[in-house]
Amino acid sequence: MTETPNLVAFTPERLEKVKEIIARYPEGRQKSALLPVLHVAQEQWGWLSSEVMDYVAGILSIEPVEVYEVATFYTMYHLDPVGKHVIEYCRTGPCCLMGGEDVYGHLKKKLGIDAGQTTTDGLFTLKEVECLAACGWGPVFQIREQFYMNLTNDKVDEIIEELSK
Amino acid sequence: MARKILTEHINVPGIETFDVYRKQGGYTAVEKAIKTMTPEAVVEEAKKSGVRGRGGAGFPMGMKWGFLAKPEGVPRYLVCNADESEPGTFKDHHLMKSIPHLLIEGMIISSFALGANKSFIYVRGELMYVIRILEKAIEEAKAKGFLGKNILGSGYDLELVVQPGGGAYICGEETALLESLEGKRGNPRNKPPFPAVKGLYQSPTVVNNVESIANMSWIINNGGDAYAAIGIGRSTGTKLISASGHIQKPGVYEIELGVSVEEFLNSDEYCGGIRKGHHLKALVAGGSSVPILPANLIMKTAAGEDRLMSYESLSDGGFATGTMLGSGGFIVFDETACIVRNTWNFSRFYHHESCGQCSPCREGTGWMEKVLHRIEHGHGSMHDIDLLVDISKKIEGNTICPLGDAAAWPVASAIRHFRDEFMWHITNPQEASQPGAVYQGEMALV
């Protein structure tokens, strides 16, 4: 888990990236950068604490509440600390047709946690998500930018064991 | 072999790079449009092609372009809707990750046609790896002079921005997408004013789906008339179909509109038929929001004619005996699928994804999910079936955006065609709530 430091600031590289993002939009429309900048913030801190959201509001010259209302609306932003690997498991119809429910049951048993929880060693957080747009290759889950498709119980075991090393 | 407009080169090794894409004839349409055509002429080709919105609405793209207001001194925007999140639909995902330059090229041509100097591709945030692929492709195109200032020495400038979403199905609705692009919650706007008059930053804006835009390079190279000659009737051209569920070969297929459902489902060129040893029970032809049909009604229209993969044939019979082409999310159910469980699953999706702005949708989707949950888990009553129909009618047509309809149709259609299965769940609660239990009563299997 990543602790929020007392002094919240982007790393110099990320600050450059954030400036580049803000410059994509027309003058005075810097609020458009909010979603992309929150993704960058989450990349750095793992989750969005109120301190982080206040900091982002300052950078974009908008009110903190404008950040809170966006961060609470979109499911990809974590509002609580998460584990090293966030497993986003697709629970939607087409994946279920391909055995998604059974594999999900196996994954929960393997990790010893339920949806929304983090393993005691801080390695894995399990999140249920709606359709990941990979229905033909289901069951599927995503960890950060990596899709794991055509899942089976054995494949889940392999992935978890690999990531636990 | 059917003609391919979008996927002809999709399996060429390295096609995601500028050089390989260029070698396959890529970007010639940009050259042709920018060097030899006026923006009006490009719009005219789009109109002639008859290409319809491939995100699900099916509205003619050229006509939509024609509505764009052009006040003096006000910027205009093109926004590509790449927020694909309809269960059963994964064609845009496939297209963008495999052949990103096809979309970039389409964006340049379309932006030129509309007089937009800054255009956006709004991609669902879950596809961050696809966003990286698109950004790389944009960099390449820029380095080769196809994007940025003074494209190919024409004096035309275009900047292309890839915007990640934050994980909200509602942002696939065009006005919610614009709100999100402005850094807000994805709450759909009231229409009118339509985006063509007041869209992004209150400026005239066109929002088009990935697949619609990706058609533009072929249309410019071959002419709108050539595109319109493919397909059937007002369903012109080709369509990407995302096929999933109980079939031999799930995947994304490009069809010429007008092939029969039977051929698409059973031929080796496409789905390869139902899983071995099983029978077709039901089918959702156009993504989770469109009405589900039992096997007999999806293969033939009520008049007994072969059902075709086209906007008109699939919707033949209205919602009584027909469905919709929608986004082309083709979900196949064999006899092992429980319709009640699947309906509950879809209902949970719409409840989760409702933005909460309109009461009928916010309250109704959750109510339907709860009722379906109790039927599926052995606690339903006969009254619940009529209650579901009643709630669905109260949501449908009573919300700002079509998410309410999208939530109501799967439930209403499942009850319309599979009422006996719902009744079995209620009269045999213990048996029906066992994992994997499926109604074995009278079913029109094919």
Side-chain angles (χ1 to χ4, degrees):
Chain A
M1 272 180 233
T2 316
E3 293 297 325
T4 306
N6 291 330
L7 187 65
V8 173
F10 279 123
T11 60
E13 299 78 32
R14 289 210 172 84
L15 190 59
E16 272 312 300
K17 173 82 184 157
V18 164
K19 282 182 185 162
E20 185 261 312
I21 291 172
I22 294 169
R24 294 172 184 173
Y25 309 95
E27 187 93 24
R29 300 293 185 181
Q30 78 284 357
K31 190 179 172 183
S32 276
L34 181 51
L35 271 74
V37 170
L38 286 178
H39 280 297
V40 176
Q42 191 157 285
E43 196 180 283
Q44 176 160 335
W45 288 287
W47 65 291
L48 303 176
S49 63
S50 51
E51 289 82 4
V52 166
M53 290 192 270
D54 291 351
Y55 171 66
V56 167
I59 283 187
L60 294 178
S61 307
I62 56 178
E63 294 299 323
V65 69
E66 295 178 82
V67 183
Y68 306 157
E69 62 183 16
V70 161
T72 54
F73 182 82
Y74 297 93
T75 54
M76 290 184 70
Y77 300 121
H78 310 315
L79 303 176
D80 292 298
V82 291
K84 184 178 171 196
H85 305 290
V86 180
I87 301 176
E88 298 181 293
Y89 193 92
C90 176
R91 64 171 185 184
T92 315
C95 273
C96 290
L97 284 180
M98 303 314 292
E101 286 172 306
D102 291 342
V103 174
Y104 187 40
H106 177 77
L107 173 65
K108 285 198 277 194
K109 214 167 138 194
K110 174 98 186 157
L111 296 174
I113 52 171
D114 214 334
Q117 297 178 339
T118 301
T119 52
T120 46
D121 57 7
L123 263 185
F124 296 99
T125 295
L126 187 56
K127 271 185 97 172
E128 287 176 351
V129 296
E130 296 298 350
C131 190
L132 282 173
C135 316
W137 314 299
V140 59
F141 67 59
Q142 185 184 22
I143 301 178
R144 283 235 169 83
E145 298 184 17
Q146 174 76 43
F147 269 68
Y148 297 87
M149 311 202 234
N150 301 118
L151 292 171
T152 59
N153 290 354
D154 288 347
K155 215 166 164 181
V156 162
D157 289 346
E158 274 172 39
I159 296 163
I160 298 303
E161 273 146 36
E162 185 61 34
L163 291 173
S164 300
K165 281 178 188 166
Chain B
M1 253 341 219
R3 264 168 297 190
K4 302 278 184 267
I5 286 177
L6 301 161
T7 59
E8 190 184 351
H9 305 297
I10 207 161
N11 293 321
V12 174
I15 195 69
E16 69 282 1
T17 63
F18 180 92
D19 290 341
V20 175
Y21 180 76
R22 182 84 167 130
K23 254 187 216 140
Q24 300 296 326
Y27 288 101
T28 49
V30 168
E31 289 176 315
K32 183 176 176 184
I34 289 187
K35 287 182 177 170
T36 71
M37 296 170 77
T38 62
E40 293 75 21
V42 176
V43 174
E44 200 46 45
E45 291 306 320
K47 281 184 181 165
K48 275 192 213 162
S49 74
V51 64
R52 292 162 67 170
R54 301 296 197 220
F59 191 81
M61 184 166 83
M63 199 188 287
K64 191 175 189 178
W65 286 9
F67 294 149
L68 187 70
K70 294 178 177 171
E72 282 295 311
V74 177
R76 302 193 278 274
Y77 295 102
L78 171 66
V79 178
C80 173
N81 186 344
D83 191 65
E84 178 175 66
S85 9
E86 175 105 352
T89 311
F90 47 102
K91 65 188 178 73
D92 294 342
H93 180 178
H94 178 64
L95 202 64
M96 290 188 290
K97 80 173 165 65
S98 309
I99 184 161
H101 283 285
L102 189 68
L103 174 62
I104 310 292
E105 183 172 16
M107 285 297 289
I108 300 168
I109 297 164
S110 309
S111 300
F112 170 71
L114 298 167
N117 297 111
K118 190 183 277 284
S119 295
F120 295 87
I121 305 174
Y122 183 102
V123 187
R124 60 180 303 191
E126 285 89 341
L127 302 185
M128 206 54 93
Y129 84 100
V130 174
I131 289 170
R132 313 267 185 237
I133 291 171
L134 287 171
E135 284 176 339
K136 192 162 170 249
I138 287 173
E139 281 309 311
E140 284 184 308
K142 205 169 176 177
K144 302 285 183 180
F146 285 87
L147 272 173
K149 294 255 177 237
N150 193 21
I151 295 172
L152 306 177
S154 64
Y156 173 62
D157 305 335
L158 176 64
E159 196 185 336
L160 206 48
V161 174
V162 181
Q163 179 86 351
Y169 168 70
I170 188 60
C171 292
E173 194 280 334
E174 62 176 2
T175 60
L177 188 153
L178 295 176
E179 286 286 294
S180 181
L181 189 43
E182 291 180 5
K184 294 180 262 182
R185 299 167 76 101
N187 287 346
R189 298 174 182 170
N190 273 313
K191 293 194 269 192
F194 288 88
V197 179
K198 283 189 188 301
L200 184 65
Y201 311 133
Q202 296 294 303
S203 296
T205 303
V206 165
V207 183
N208 284 141
N209 171 258
V210 172
E211 187 187 346
S212 317
I213 292 171
N215 276 306
M216 278 315 292
S217 52
W218 195 96
I219 290 171
I220 291 305
N221 278 329
N222 299 278
D225 288 333
Y227 189 92
I230 301 169
I232 183 165
R234 291 199 302 118
S235 295
T236 63
T238 65
K239 172 90 189 80
L240 294 179
I241 305 290
S242 327
S244 65
H246 295 146
I247 45 175
Q248 302 270 13
K249 297 193 299 167
V252 178
Y253 298 100
E254 183 170 7
I255 58 161
E256 286 188 31
L257 284 164
V259 302
S260 68
V261 173
E262 158 90 43
E263 188 189 342
F264 182 69
L265 181 62
N266 290 326
S267 81
D268 283 340
E269 192 180 346
Y270 305 115
C271 304
I274 304 288
R275 287 193 300 183
K276 278 212 166 62
H278 293 277
H279 299 281
L280 176 65
K281 176 179 182 178
L283 214 153
V284 168
S288 63
S289 66
V290 312
I292 188 169
L293 286 183
N296 55 338
L297 283 176
I298 188 68
M299 301 304 246
K300 301 270 181 195
T301 65
E305 290 168 357
D306 282 348
R307 181 89 71 181
L308 309 180
M309 299 289 285
S310 73
Y311 292 95
E312 290 75 21
S313 184
L314 281 168
S315 57
D316 186 85
F319 282 0
T321 57
T323 181
M324 294 163 81
L325 177 63
S327 57
F330 195 84
I331 314 169
V332 181
F333 303 82
D334 70 19
E335 81 287 351
T336 65
C338 172
I339 298 296
V340 175
R341 192 164 184 79
N342 185 71
T343 310
W344 165 53
N345 186 300
F346 281 176
S347 207
R348 187 174 61 181
F349 171 83
Y350 288 103
H351 176 215
H352 186 267
E353 298 300 326
S354 171
C355 80
Q357 193 178 194
C358 311
S359 311
C361 179
R362 181 185 63 241
E363 306 300 329
T365 52
W367 195 3
M368 286 199 300
E369 193 216 317
K370 274 185 194 154
V371 176
L372 283 159
H373 181 274
R374 68 175 175 246
I375 295 176
E376 164 63 16
H377 291 83
H379 308 292
S381 71
M382 281 299 179
H383 167 71
D384 281 341
I385 299 178
D386 291 330
L387 179 62
L388 282 171
V389 174
D390 188 45
I391 303 168
S392 74
K393 279 184 186 154
K394 287 189 165 75
I395 302 174
E396 187 182 348
N398 290 318
T399 53
I400 288 175
C401 87
L403 192 136
D405 299 348
W409 294 340
V411 177
S413 60
I415 294 173
R416 186 181 306 126
H417 299 298
F418 297 94
R419 183 179 275 263
D420 50 349
E421 192 160 333
F422 283 83
M423 288 166 68
W424 176 73
H425 270 256
I426 291 159
T427 51
N428 299 276
Q430 281 202 319
E431 194 185 339
S433 57
Q434 294 300 315
V438 178
Y439 175 60
Q440 297 297 332
E442 195 180 321
M443 282 187 283
L445 298 175
V446 170

